[in-house]
Amino acid sequence: MFDVHYFHRMRLAIAFILSVVVFSLGSCKKDQLLTSADAKLTLATELLTFDTVFTTVGSITKSFTVVNAYDQPLNISNIQLMGGSSSAYSINVNGSSGTSFSNIRLNAFDSMYVFVKVNINPGSSNLPFLVKDSIRFTLNGNTQQVQLQAYGQNARFISSGRISSNTTWNNTLPYVIVKPLTIDNGITLTITEGTRIYCNATAPIIVNGTLKALGKVYDSTRITFRGDRLDETYKDYPGTWPGIVFNNSSSNNELRYTNVLNAYQAVIAQGNPNDATPKLTLFSCQISNAYDVGLLAFNTKIVAENCLISQVGNDGETGLGGSNVLIAAGGNYTFNHCSIVTYANFYQNHKQPALFISNNSGSQSLPLQVQMDNCIVYGQGGLATDEIVVSKTGNTAFSIQLRNCLYKVKNDPANVSFLNSLKNVEPLFDSISTSRQQYNFRLRDESPARNAGLAGGPITDLDGLPRPAGIRPDMGCYEKQ
């Protein structure tokens, strides 16, 4: 007689055995190395590029991934830095440093990182030079490569800490300031056109004597101060170096056609507001992308013409900062054809006004005189509702006058005289893209700042282009041509 229950039990047993066999076969396959000559690694890049690296300083570490996209493990028979021990590059694979690695197992659907660093030795070239190498991967008899390239640059490395005799820097090689640099009292450092100065994150420039940065109008002849990190992640990051400080004892400082970029507090000047010559003269300068403050002045004397002070300000962690221009504790200031502008973005939250002015020294009020002609003081985004904020205490002499300026405020500040000025109108800059970090503060044809300035200022603009004779110039640092 046919046993139905026995037959059912046999079917279940056979099904179980088959599932075990199938599972075992699958497991065996997943554990078995893929040896096909057609197998390839998935490399995240075929070219790893390092931006300009100063000789002997080294670079950041970059990395890329190596992926096994198959459902079986791979055995990478060799990973080779082709330049070997003489290469400018060094690599790290799976936590181990070296130039050659053998028999590296990469499990199914797994990945690993390869870390790369470059250190370039000094060469004879004064110009940037290209340093190349490659990493070769050998799998199942086939090879793949990731090319490596870096732009190296010789430089003069300043690590002495102070300048104690009159000194001139020229543009033959860039200067890399390794630690805080002080210009001694009574000493002048003169920087000639086209010179590039790169400062370490812990290296402010402290001026007790005199600094004369005398650039010229063209991009190649302007002088630039900036941080020494030039890799993609950091080169446009605000706050990569401390900035320049002009102390009480310093005098007769000049920055002409000079860029001060990416500092924490870009330019600080203090003391001697009654000197015959200004503590600091700024002519056709760009102070941009500072973290805390662009121009910070304490009871001093500054003359600024044709200057762009832009994209500045974070939380104001110092209790004073966050502004493009911050004037505290009185002093004597003249601004003509300057653009003081910030648009909130990922780096600058723009919580503070673009311009803050006060006569309060903390314990007393001091005399204050501010004259601004043909300037634009403007901002967008963030939490700042007034781009000009004024604080007056005591009964000392106090005068702030803006003539033929374009400015943005919710309410006009008290104790300020506005003459022939434009309030709360769009300046209509050429092009602004906060997402791409692109800012062109030149004026469009239809800008209300066109032909709205006061004649008698500098005859050329920040670009070195002429301002018209016989008609009113544009407001701001640029003249529409």
Side-chain angles (χ1 to χ4, degrees):
M1 183 177 179
F2 182 73
D3 189 339
V4 175
H5 295 290
Y6 173 78
F7 178 74
H8 182 65
R9 287 194 299 271
M10 288 299 294
R11 287 179 61 189
L12 291 175
I14 291 169
F16 174 75
I17 292 169
L18 288 174
S19 66
V20 170
V21 170
V22 172
F23 176 79
S24 299
L25 290 174
S27 297
C28 290
K29 180 182 178 183
K30 290 182 179 179
D31 290 335
Q32 184 178 355
L33 289 173
L34 179 61
T35 58
S36 169
D38 295 329
K40 286 188 176 182
L41 298 166
T42 302
L43 303 174
T45 184
E46 294 181 352
L47 175 63
L48 194 65
T49 300
F50 293 79
D51 294 300
T52 302
V53 178
F54 291 114
T55 57
T56 75
V57 170
S59 73
I60 65 162
T61 299
K62 288 196 169 187
S63 66
F64 61 92
T65 56
V66 180
V67 178
N68 175 6
Y70 302 101
D71 62 356
Q72 291 177 251
L74 298 172
N75 180 63
I76 306 172
S77 56
N78 183 252
I79 300 176
Q80 179 78 40
L81 178 63
M82 299 307 292
S85 59
S86 61
S87 176
Y89 295 88
S90 58
I91 64 174
N92 182 295
V93 178
N94 275 349
S96 299
S97 298
T99 58
S100 182
F101 306 83
S102 299
N103 297 320
I104 298 173
R105 181 185 176 93
L106 192 57
N107 289 328
F109 304 119
D110 201 358
S111 64
M112 67 179 183
Y113 280 95
V114 177
F115 296 91
V116 185
K117 191 172 183 178
V118 61
N119 190 79
I120 299 176
N121 292 321
S124 59
S125 175
N126 292 340
L127 299 175
F129 50 95
L130 189 61
V131 178
K132 293 184 175 183
D133 203 343
S134 63
I135 303 172
R136 184 187 66 193
F137 297 82
T138 304
L139 173 70
N140 298 347
N142 296 318
T143 62
Q144 297 170 255
Q145 289 196 344
V146 171
Q147 301 295 325
L148 309 175
Q149 68 178 25
Y151 294 91
Q153 172 70 69
N154 285 324
R156 298 182 178 97
F157 296 91
I158 308 299
S159 56
S160 61
R162 60 191 327 105
I163 295 176
S164 54
S165 61
N166 292 337
T167 302
T168 298
W169 288 358
N170 60 39
N171 63 9
T172 304
L173 287 172
Y175 293 79
V176 178
I177 300 178
V178 178
K179 63 181 183 179
L181 178 68
T182 299
I183 302 171
D184 283 348
N185 195 358
I187 299 302
T188 298
L189 171 62
T190 302
I191 303 175
T192 62
E193 63 186 80
T195 303
R196 303 290 188 263
I197 300 98
Y198 300 89
C199 299
N200 187 265
T202 59
I205 299 174
I206 302 167
V207 184
N208 293 327
T210 299
L211 173 64
K212 290 187 177 293
L214 306 177
K216 291 185 178 179
V217 65
Y218 302 108
D219 287 344
S220 61
T221 56
R222 294 182 71 89
I223 294 167
T224 298
F225 294 86
R226 64 177 304 155
D228 63 357
R229 294 289 298 272
L230 302 181
D231 47 282
E232 192 64 35
T233 306
Y234 286 91
K235 68 179 181 179
D236 295 320
Y237 195 83
T240 57
W241 66 289
I244 307 171
V245 179
F246 298 93
N247 278 330
N248 287 320
S249 60
S250 72
S251 62
N252 201 23
N253 300 285
E254 295 181 67
L255 302 182
R256 294 183 177 273
Y257 297 105
T258 295
N259 302 333
V260 184
L261 309 176
N262 307 341
Y264 187 83
Q265 294 177 327
V267 177
I268 301 175
Q270 53 190 0
N272 312 110
N274 300 315
D275 283 356
T277 58
K279 162 79 70 173
L280 175 61
T281 297
L282 300 166
F283 184 81
S284 291
C285 292
Q286 297 184 43
I287 300 174
S288 296
N289 209 35
Y291 180 87
D292 188 60
V293 66
L295 176 61
L296 177 57
F298 290 99
N299 193 32
T300 191
K301 185 174 184 178
I302 294 175
V303 172
E305 293 186 316
N306 277 348
C307 290
L308 172 63
I309 306 175
S310 66
Q311 293 311 113
V312 173
N314 210 282
D315 290 329
E317 294 177 354
T318 61
L320 290 172
S323 299
N324 294 46
V325 176
L326 193 156
I327 295 170
N332 190 326
Y333 308 94
T334 301
F335 294 85
N336 197 351
H337 282 292
C338 293
S339 297
I340 302 169
V341 187
T342 290
Y343 282 69
N345 60 35
F346 180 78
Y347 296 123
Q348 282 94 15
N349 57 32
H350 191 40
K351 290 184 178 180
Q352 307 299 327
L355 173 63
F356 178 85
I357 304 172
S358 172
N359 70 336
N360 187 355
S361 69
S363 59
Q364 58 180 329
S365 59
L366 296 173
L368 173 72
Q369 180 174 335
V370 178
Q371 182 66 49
M372 302 186 74
D373 294 337
N374 306 316
C375 293
I376 295 174
V377 184
Y378 191 80
Q380 273 195 18
L383 300 177
T385 56
D386 294 301
E387 299 300 343
I388 301 175
V389 172
V390 173
S391 174
K392 179 181 182 296
T393 61
N395 297 313
T396 55
F398 190 98
S399 173
I400 302 175
Q401 185 178 70
L402 277 75
R403 297 187 299 179
N404 297 76
C405 293
L406 185 153
Y407 67 103
K408 180 182 177 182
V409 295
K410 186 177 181 180
N411 298 296
D412 281 342
N415 305 301
V416 179
S417 172
F418 294 95
L419 301 175
N420 301 319
S421 293
L422 302 175
K423 175 182 174 181
N424 293 338
V425 296
E426 292 271 356
L428 298 181
F429 295 121
D430 183 279
S431 56
I432 305 293
S433 174
T434 57
S435 61
R436 293 193 297 269
Q437 297 291 292
Q438 294 176 356
Y439 304 95
N440 184 344
F441 294 112
R442 295 169 182 85
L443 300 175
R444 299 183 209 167
D445 286 333
E446 63 271 26
S447 169
R450 293 285 319 280
N451 305 124
L454 184 69
I459 61 174
T460 58
D461 71 353
L462 179 57
D463 286 331
L465 299 174
R467 289 196 167 92
I471 64 172
R472 295 170 65 182
D474 299 343
M475 296 173 176
C477 60
Y478 294 109
E479 183 72 25
K480 181 69 176 178
Q481 300 299 307

